[in-house]
Structures are given as structure tokens and as C-alpha cells.
Amino acid sequence: MFRKFNYLLALAREQHFGRAAEACHVSQPTLSNAIRQLEEELRVPIVERGQKFAGFTTEGLKVLEYARRIVGERDGMYQELAALTKGLSGHLRIGAIPTALPVVPLLLARFAERYPHIQSSVVSLSSRDIQRDLDTFELDAAVTYLDNEPLNNVRTAPLVSERYFLLAPRTSLPEGTASVRWADAADLPLCLLTPDMQNRRIADAAFRMADRKVTPLVETNSIVTLYTIARGGLGASVVPSQLLTLVAPHPDVVALPLVEPDLTYAVGLVYADREPIAPLTKALAAVAGEKGLGDRIRAITEDALAPWRR
């Protein structure tokens, strides 16, 4: 039954019989026959029949919901049993919104000190995709905003407060400028993240608070492009402070705090609010909640931001 559930979950992920079979390292007839046997055992149609995969039936969606829960519980059981005999090990799956990716290595560095035998994979996702993948057991945990568009049915551990800067060609601002109002930033040619990204929605809200509406010159889903646009002199970018920890200051570029409104948002670890908590997730949450970790992340961030203030 577990094998059949794994095939079903692969089909849900891949949305294609051939790719699902390849992901499970079996032939397509083997996967198709297993799902057909599952339908016979449960006495309900699971897959909409056709020449190609056409989706799941209403009954199939319910089976899929239980399959995710059952397989997730099984994996948690394996982790618990392995921990009793040889210590905590396994593979930790972490998602992160793009603007929070610089925080993840700082969390994982402390985690690796505690649990050196655990492998981790990190994927960049939107906050909406993180919600979906936590709900469907595809992720063990994620790093995202905690107090802006908060996720549902999750537990949280704060890590850092995010602030916002205007990254602009030095020649586009008066000499000696120490900060920039959002209203004034709206008058510059801007490169912003795409609307599907939460950081962009935060920026749009800030411009609305300043009674301004902007039409970006460039939109991108890459935070690195925000930097290269400013460095290339094409325009200014609204960037989270964590981006400035990844790139070196450049003599032709300035990074100034955005003010009026002064915005900060908490970024932290989130994981599904369910019992029992899988051992790997519990261990990561414990590390994220350690008293000194947040202080260390803040200190590293401040050190990285200092050269930009000169």
C-alpha cells in the first residue's frame, strides 16, 4: 500500500504518468497498474481516464490527501526509529522565499554543528508555494515572512527583522543623502520584483502608504537582478537588507534606508502545525529557537551592511 501511495504522490507531483514512473524508477505500466490496483482495493475511481493524465477524481483527491498524511507519518516513524538506534539522520527539505535565502545558510550552519549527518536541500519558492508544500508534506520547514501575509496552520520561530533599502546609481541622488522617502523613490526609474513575490507586494503597499503608485521600468523574479540593474545605471531598486549581505558595495552604487513609512517585517522558520512533529523538523525548530542564533544573524547582517553606510 505504501508503494502504491508513493506512486500516487509522484503522479500528483509530475502530472504525467511517464515522468511519475521515471521519478519512481519503474516502468510506466508498473505505475499505472499499481494505481489501478489501488482503485480496485478502495473501490473508487482515483484518476480521470483518458489518453493522457487528466487529473484526479473527487474521490482521488480525497485518497491523495490521506496518502500524503500516511506517507508523511511513515517517514516520521522511520526518523524516530533511526534516531533511537544510530542518532538523528535523514534528509531535511527546506523552502525559502528568495529574499530570505541569505538567512538559510546561517540557520543550517548552526544546525550542521548539532546534526552533522543530516543532509539538507533548499529550494526557492513563493510564500504561496511554501503554504501548499507544507500542507502536502512536500517540505519539512521553510523560511519566510511571519507577520506579512502570514501562513495558515504553521508554527513559527523568528530569526531576523527585514528592512528595506533603495539601491540606486550614486549619480541619481544628491550628495550626502542619508535616507530616501518612499514617495521620493517613486519618482525614480525602478526595478522591482514581480507581483507574485511577497516582497513586491510589501513595496507596493509602502508606496500606497506614501500616497504613490509606481509602474516599474523593469520587473524581475531574481533578487540578484535588482543589484545588477542599479549597478548598471539603468535604474534604482527596492531591496531587502539581506540582499546587501550577499553583494559587495560598489563605488557607483548607494544603498539608503527607505523611510516614511519605516517598515520592518519578521522573517523566520515556519513548519506545519501537526502532531507528532517529525524528528528532523523538531530538531531544526529547536535550533531556530536557540537564544543566541537570532543575535548572531543580526550581528552578521549589521557587519555586512556597515560598508554600505560609508
Side-chain angles (χ1 to χ4, degrees):
M1 186 65 77
F2 280 127
R3 177 176 54 83
K4 293 169 186 174
F5 281 163
N6 282 327
Y7 292 167
L8 188 64
L9 295 180
L11 183 58
R13 285 194 304 270
E14 301 295 338
Q15 300 287 298
H16 186 276
F17 281 102
R19 291 195 298 269
E22 185 177 354
C24 294
H25 307 290
V26 298
S27 68
Q28 183 171 331
T30 296
L31 182 137
S32 298
N33 288 335
I35 292 177
R36 193 171 290 109
Q37 290 170 12
L38 188 60
E39 291 177 318
E40 293 173 357
E41 292 171 14
L42 298 178
R43 300 179 183 178
V44 294
I46 292 175
V47 178
E48 296 284 0
R49 295 302 174 193
Q51 294 284 11
K52 299 180 180 179
F53 176 73
F56 295 98
T57 63
T58 301
E59 297 89 342
L61 291 173
K62 183 57 66 175
V63 173
L64 191 59
E65 179 183 330
Y66 275 91
R68 285 170 173 149
R69 191 178 310 162
I70 291 168
V71 171
E73 296 286 359
R74 178 206 61 179
D75 292 345
M77 179 187 69
Y78 285 160
Q79 292 174 18
E80 290 272 14
L81 294 175
L84 290 174
T85 57
K86 57 184 179 181
L88 203 58
S89 62
H91 185 185
L92 185 66
R93 302 162 301 171
I94 301 173
I97 57 172
T99 52
L101 283 170
V103 177
V104 177
L106 304 179
L107 172 61
L108 287 181
R110 176 68 63 87
F111 186 72
E113 292 173 3
R114 305 285 188 274
Y115 306 101
H117 302 297
I118 295 176
Q119 295 179 311
S120 301
S121 58
V122 180
V123 292
S124 176
L125 298 169
S126 71
S127 56
R128 291 166 180 168
D129 288 340
I130 286 173
Q131 178 78 74
R132 178 201 65 209
D133 287 354
L134 287 174
D135 290 343
T136 59
F137 296 83
E138 295 294 325
L139 288 177
D140 298 304
V143 178
T144 185
Y145 288 108
L146 303 184
D147 51 6
N148 184 74
E149 300 180 11
L151 303 187
N152 298 317
N153 303 316
V154 296
R155 302 182 190 183
T156 64
L159 293 172
V160 67
S161 292
E162 186 63 274
R163 292 168 290 163
Y164 302 92
F165 288 74
L166 183 75
L167 194 66
R170 189 175 294 275
T171 55
S172 66
L173 296 170
E175 188 69 28
T177 302
S179 61
V180 180
R181 299 187 310 156
W182 286 90
D184 295 331
D187 293 328
L188 299 172
L190 290 173
C191 173
L192 299 178
L193 293 174
T194 49
D196 61 307
M197 303 185 72
Q198 190 171 173
N199 185 266
R200 168 62 183 281
R201 297 193 291 275
I202 288 174
D204 286 344
F207 283 121
R208 287 195 299 270
M209 292 179 202
D211 200 27
R212 301 298 299 272
K213 183 178 180 180
V214 299
T215 301
L217 178 67
V218 178
E219 291 183 327
T220 179
N221 63 356
S222 164
I223 61 171
V224 175
T225 301
L226 297 177
Y227 171 74
T228 56
I229 289 290
R231 180 171 171 173
L234 180 58
S237 301
V238 173
V239 302
S241 53
Q242 287 301 315
L243 172 62
L244 301 179
T245 70
L246 293 180
V247 293
H250 190 276
D252 297 333
V253 181
V254 294
L256 302 174
L258 282 159
V259 298
E260 299 182 33
D262 299 339
L263 299 178
T264 60
Y265 289 98
V267 172
L269 185 76
V270 299
Y271 53 101
D273 183 12
R274 62 172 68 101
E275 291 289 351
I277 302 172
L280 294 186
T281 303
K282 185 186 295 185
L284 183 65
V287 170
E290 290 181 2
K291 185 177 180 180
L293 180 61
D295 293 338
R296 181 168 180 264
I297 292 175
R298 282 189 291 274
I300 291 173
T301 301
E302 289 303 315
D303 287 346
L305 291 178
W308 288 99
R309 299 192 181 102
R310 296 171 186 163

